[in-house]
Every structure is written in structure tokens, then in C-alpha cells.
């Protein structure tokens, strides 16, 4: 199958090399005006200015005239929890009435509430609801996604979640990475026996996950009331033994030490970063670890947003992700993540597009596959409606500006 997209007003993020962008370089967004893009099967095979479109070329099966429209790489959402059994809007109402996220969690709600419902739900039902969420986010422009376990908190529950993710990988055309987050919370049975639960993770969960090849990364919720930096280190070091690189929840509610421990462990990314001080920012800037900002989680929990400008000014490499989950970010809409990043975190439109595409691909180890308009990469694309400029995307935050989405060479909407 051959698709030709022609007369594109602006072809966005065209690159022949994959470079992780840090600091001010995040604003460098290469684009081509009045451009074409050729796709064969699931891959990008050529692109350029309309004036350079070769006369002699194989006949296309599908030709799209993109006059007035922008064509971008599909979003790369490098942090989600989209396998879950039930939404948690009752807790949302409790928060409206004054309870905090930490209070709800301490009373057996939050992650433990999701773990109860997940353990009572079949693998098939979990697959079906996660499949619907994948379908939803792909129509919103996401073409690659990382999905975590962490609502099982039992050997069987964690394995069940990871098997669902494996099946999603097999059946979906999206690029998917799986992360083992057994250390998301201490289950009630291990409330006063942290060593026992960590032992369960290391001795029982990890060997089986490795045997069935169910995970690409290992995650820990490094946070006061959850896992300490020492416990995070212990779990991650065990994961590293099985080839799982850390990708951890750090500095969400408190200065947890998560950034420092993540960097020390060679994490691919440290995620959240609502609560950062100079030391944490400096540590991240001096490392090869990517900082993943999850602004909709901060927004939903009514917390100060991540210090994006300080992180960029310090020279950090950052990405943006949705954190789609039932407790702190019940939305996987990357267009809204982008809008809030511009409106509230003062990120430039160019910085946002890079952060939500190629940088996200790097944070999943998928930079050779997705994240930019490059020959040989998977044709995961967003075609906008007719819009005046790139800045219009985060500016018109409530409008659906997407005309069509292509995943692996096929228009899905
Ligand atoms: O990334 N903070 C830890 N984990 C999730 C929320 C999990 C939940 O509340 O269900 C997050 O925000
Ligand atoms: Fe998360």
C-alpha cells in the first residue's frame, strides 16, 4: 500500500538524526513548508518540498491533499497506567469536599482501591477496557505508549496486568512498552512488613515476569508513605539483574529523593517532578536521565505544576506524558497535556511538540521507530484540520484540531 500526502502546509519535526534535546535546544523544531510525504506499507519512505516531488514515482493507492493543514509525528506518551478495572470518581468527589490524595491513600483508597477491583476482574475484561482506552488515545493522536502494571500488588494480579499489556502489544498497531510497577504501594497485608513485600517482588514476581518476558522497564513509586529511596534502590537493582531499566515515579508529592536515586541507578527517566529543589534539578541536568513531566496529574490533584522553565534553563532533557490513570489523571489526551504545558508551564509550542514526540520516544527507547518525520520510521502521523499556525494547537485548547490519525501506515480516523 502506498499513500501520498501532498501540499502539506507545514510538515513538522523532520529529522535525519535522532538527537535527545536538552535545555534551549528543545525549541529547535525543524519543519518544511509546502511539503509532501510518501508512505509505503507502514513506513515513511520519502518527504520533501512540493517542488522536489519526483515526477516519476510509483502510483499511490491513497492520495491526500493536505492544503492548509499541518502534518506531525503522532504523540509518544511515555507514562500511562491504562490497564485498570474501574474509574474512581467517588474519590474525586471526596477531594472536592476537602480530602487530600495522600489521606485517601492512607485510608485504603487510591491505588489500593484500584488493586481490589483489578484483582476481582478477569484478564479478558481488563483487556477489553484497556483496548477501548488505546482506541480512544489513538484517535486523539497518540501512536506510541508506555503502559504500567501496579494495580495488582499480588503475584497473580501483577502477572495478569502484564499479560494484558503483552496482548495489547500483540494486537495493537501502536508501539507499546511495558513497565513492571509492583512497587506502586504496599498492599494492606504488608502494611507493617515492607521487607516481606519487597521480598515478594524480588523473589516471586520478577523471576516469573522475566521468564514470560512481560516487561521492558521497572518502576517504583518513590514517595513518602510509599517506597523510600533505599527501598526503590533495592527493587530497581533486582530489576536491573533481569535487564529491566528503571523508569521511576519521583518527586510527585514531596522531595522524595527519587530524582537522585533514579539518576544514580541510570534510570531512562524520572517521572512527575512536581516537587523539585535546586539539588534535584542540578542532579537531573547533569545526568543522561530524562525528566518526564505529567502536568495533567498536577492539574487534577490541584498541585503546583512542574517547573518546566527551570528544568529547561538548567539544561535538562524533558518530555511530556499523560499519566492516564484512574486516580491522578483520568485523561490520556496529549493535546490537553500540550495545551496546559503552554498555558500554565510557559513552554513554547515548538518545545511542546518536541517534548511530546521525539523526546517521548527516547523515554521509551523507541527513538529509532517513532517520534519524528524520518525516512524508515513508522508512519504514525497526525493530520490537523486547517489551522493558521503551530501555536494555534495549544492556544485553541478546547477544540478538536485533528482531522485524521495514521497508525502504522493506516488512517484510523
Ligand atoms: O502516576 N503516583 C503514583 N501513581 C499514579 C497514580 C495512581 C493512582 O492514584 O491510581 C500516578 O499519579
Ligand atoms: Fe504514574
Amino acid at each position: 500500500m502506498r499513500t501520498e500526502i501532498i501540499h502539506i502546509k507545514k510538515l513538522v519535526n523532520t529529522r535525519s538524526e535522532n538527537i535527545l534535546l536538552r535545555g534551549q535546544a528543545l525549541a529547535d523544531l525543524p519543519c518544511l513548508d509546502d511539503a509532501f510525504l510518501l508512505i509505503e506499507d507502514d513506513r515513511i519512505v520519502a518527504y520533501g518540498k512540493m517542488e522536489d516531488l519526483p515526477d516519476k514515482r510509483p502510483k499511490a493507492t491513497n492520495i491526500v491533499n493536505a492544503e492548509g493543514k499541518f502534518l506531525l509525528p503522532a504523540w509518544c506518551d511515555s507514562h500511562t497506567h491504562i490497564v485498570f478495572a474501574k474509574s474512581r470518581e467517588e474519590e474525586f468527589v471526596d477531594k472536592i469536599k476537602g480530602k487530600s490524595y495522600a489521606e485517601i491513600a492512607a485510608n485504603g483508597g487510591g491505588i489500593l482501591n484500584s488493586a481490589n477491583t483489578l484483582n476481582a476482574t478477569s484478564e479478558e475484561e481488563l483487556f477489553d477496557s484497556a483496548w477501548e482506552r488505546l482506541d480512544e488515545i489513538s484517535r486523539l493522536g497518540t501512536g506510541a505508549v508506555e503502559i504500567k502494571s501496579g494495580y495488582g500488588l499480588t503475584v497473580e494480579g501483577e502477572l495478569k496486568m502484564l499479560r494484558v499489556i503483552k496482548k495489547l502489544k500483540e494486537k495493537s498497531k501502536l508501539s507499546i512498552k511495558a513497565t513492571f510497577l509492583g512497587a506502586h504501594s504496599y498492599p494492606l497485608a504488608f502494611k507493617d512488613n515492607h521487607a516481606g513485600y519487597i521480598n515478594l517482588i524480588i523473589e516471586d514476581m520478577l523471576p516469573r515476569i522475566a521468564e514470560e518476558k512481560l516487561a521492558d522497564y521497572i518502576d517504583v513509586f518513590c514517595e513518602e508513605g510509599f517506597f523510600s529511596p533505599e527501598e526503590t534502590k533495592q527493587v530497581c537493582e533486582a530489576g536491573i539483574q533481569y535487564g529491566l531499566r528503571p523508569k521511576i515515579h519521583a518527586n510527585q508529592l514531596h522531595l522524595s529523593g527519587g530524582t537522585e536515586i533514579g539518576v544514580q541507578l541510570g534510570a531512562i527517566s524520572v517521572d512527575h517532578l512536581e516537587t523539585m529543589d535546586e539539588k534535584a534539578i542540578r542532579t537531573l541536568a547533569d545526568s543522561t536521565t530524562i525528566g518526564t513531566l505529567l502536568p495533567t496529574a498536577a492539574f487534577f490533584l490541584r498541585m503546583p505544576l512542574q517547573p518546566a522553565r527551570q528544568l529547561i534553563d538548567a539544561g535538562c532533557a524533558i518530555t511530556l506524558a499523560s499519566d492516564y490513570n484512574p486516580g491522578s489523571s483520568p485523561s490520556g489526551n496529549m493535546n490537553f497535556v500540550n495545551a496546559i504545558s503552554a498555558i500554565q508551564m510557559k513552554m513554547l509550542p515548538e518545545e511542546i511538540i518536541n517534548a511530546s514526540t521525539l523526546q517521548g520516544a527516547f523515554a521509551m527507547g523507541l527513538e529509532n521507530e517513532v517520534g519524528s518525520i524520518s525516512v524508515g520510521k513508522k508512519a504514525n502521523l497526525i493530520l490537523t484540520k486547517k489551522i493558521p499556525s503551530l501555536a494555534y494547537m495549544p492556544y485553541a485548547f478546547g477544540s478538536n484540531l485533528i482531522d485524521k490519525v495514521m497508525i502504522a501506515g493506516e488512517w484510523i480516523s
Side-chain angles (χ1 to χ4, degrees):
M1 192 157 103
R2 281 169 188 277
T3 302
E4 257 182 45
I5 310 175
I6 53 174
H7 298 298
I8 304 160
K9 178 168 172 175
K10 203 182 271 292
L11 183 60
V12 180
N13 213 352
T14 51
R15 293 177 186 274
S16 52
E17 258 187 306
N18 296 318
I19 306 164
L20 180 67
L21 306 167
R22 11 184 97 254
Q24 308 304 328
L26 191 62
D28 299 339
L29 183 69
C31 297
L32 283 180
D33 291 330
D34 193 23
F36 73 88
L37 180 82
L38 306 183
I39 298 141
E40 208 176 301
D41 298 326
D42 64 341
R43 300 281 142 177
I44 296 172
V45 291
Y47 67 86
K49 301 273 287 177
M50 271 313 281
E51 64 212 38
D52 299 325
L53 179 66
D55 291 333
K56 278 200 181 145
R57 58 185 192 279
K59 210 170 153 34
T61 6
N62 172 248
I63 300 176
V64 175
N65 185 333
E67 244 172 45
K69 301 177 177 181
F70 287 58
L71 191 70
L72 298 85
W75 309 129
C76 297
D77 187 352
S78 64
H79 182 134
T80 80
H81 310 245
I82 64 164
V83 178
F84 58 86
K86 232 175 137 283
S87 56
R88 302 210 311 256
E89 63 275 16
E90 342 58 57
E91 293 180 359
F92 168 65
V93 175
D94 285 344
K95 279 189 240 118
I96 292 174
K97 290 181 182 162
K99 283 214 179 109
S100 74
Y101 181 81
E103 272 174 306
I104 290 170
N107 290 326
I111 296 167
L112 295 183
N113 176 359
S114 284
N116 282 337
T117 53
L118 185 129
N119 280 298
T121 305
S122 72
E123 200 171 309
E124 291 67 33
E125 283 173 279
L126 288 172
F127 175 84
D128 290 346
S129 62
W131 182 261
E132 269 178 42
R133 287 176 204 117
L134 263 192
D135 182 64
E136 178 205 6
I137 61 171
S138 61
R139 285 169 200 281
L140 291 165
T142 295
V145 63
E146 180 258 16
I147 311 173
K148 300 172 193 296
S149 69
Y151 291 130
L153 310 182
T154 58
V155 178
E156 285 316 316
E158 287 298 308
L159 286 171
K160 180 164 71 173
M161 284 191 83
L162 289 166
R163 288 183 189 129
V164 168
I165 303 172
K166 188 175 183 185
K167 206 156 130 201
L168 293 170
K169 276 188 183 184
E170 287 162 4
K171 300 224 162 158
S172 170
K173 286 192 185 315
L174 275 82
S175 298
I176 298 176
K177 289 282 182 168
T179 299
F180 169 51
L181 176 55
H184 199 185
S185 180
Y186 286 102
L188 277 187
F190 290 93
K191 196 165 160 266
D192 300 314
N193 179 13
H194 288 191
Y197 186 59
I198 291 180
N199 199 49
L200 190 76
I201 292 176
I202 297 177
E203 299 299 331
D204 295 348
M205 295 184 191
L206 270 170
R208 294 184 61 183
I209 289 164
E211 196 185 307
E212 288 186 46
K213 295 192 174 45
L214 292 175
D216 302 295
Y217 298 105
I218 185 154
D219 194 346
V220 177
F221 187 17
C222 183
E223 181 58 60
E224 278 179 30
F226 294 84
F227 290 79
S228 69
E230 294 68 36
E231 292 165 343
T232 303
K233 185 164 182 263
Q234 213 186 331
V235 172
C236 287
E237 281 178 343
I240 292 169
Q241 296 297 313
Y242 289 101
L244 307 182
R245 194 169 171 197
K247 182 170 179 58
I248 70 174
H249 280 73
N251 295 60
Q252 181 183 11
L253 310 173
H254 300 94
L255 280 171
S256 63
T259 299
E260 290 83 348
I261 201 72
V263 165
Q264 196 187 314
L265 290 161
I268 186 164
S269 67
V270 286
D271 304 23
H272 268 290
L273 315 188
E274 283 88 334
T275 316
M276 296 291 275
D277 61 2
E278 274 303 314
K279 181 170 157 269
I281 294 177
R282 204 56 267 152
T283 305
L284 187 59
D286 292 340
S287 77
T288 53
T289 298
I290 299 168
T292 304
L293 313 189
L294 308 169
T296 48
F299 168 75
F300 190 79
L301 297 183
R302 303 185 185 89
M303 289 186 64
L305 275 83
Q306 290 79 4
R309 286 261 57 95
Q310 277 168 268
L311 292 163
I312 294 169
D313 292 346
C316 297
I318 63 164
T319 181
L320 292 165
S322 75
D323 198 18
Y324 194 175
N325 77 77
S328 65
S329 181
S331 161
N333 188 343
M334 285 295 289
N335 307 288
F336 184 60
V337 169
N338 291 347
I340 218 173
S341 302
I343 299 164
Q344 295 291 335
M345 301 202 300
K346 297 194 172 166
M347 286 178 69
L348 295 167
E350 292 79 8
E351 292 175 330
I352 287 163
I353 304 290
N354 275 323
S356 291
T357 57
L358 188 55
Q359 302 282 101
F362 268 105
M364 293 185 274
L366 285 172
E367 67 274 16
N368 293 320
E369 178 82 1
V370 289
S372 62
I373 303 293
S374 307
V375 171
K377 278 199 183 177
K378 204 166 158 187
N380 285 359
L381 306 165
I382 295 172
L383 181 65
T384 69
K385 293 178 180 164
K386 291 189 179 187
I387 54 171
S389 64
L390 206 57
Y392 191 80
M393 292 184 78
Y395 160 84
F397 72 93
S399 304
N400 175 11
L401 302 173
I402 296 181
D403 176 14
K404 287 171 189 290
V405 176
M406 177 180 274
I407 303 290
E410 278 177 35
W411 295 114
I412 58 152
S413 63

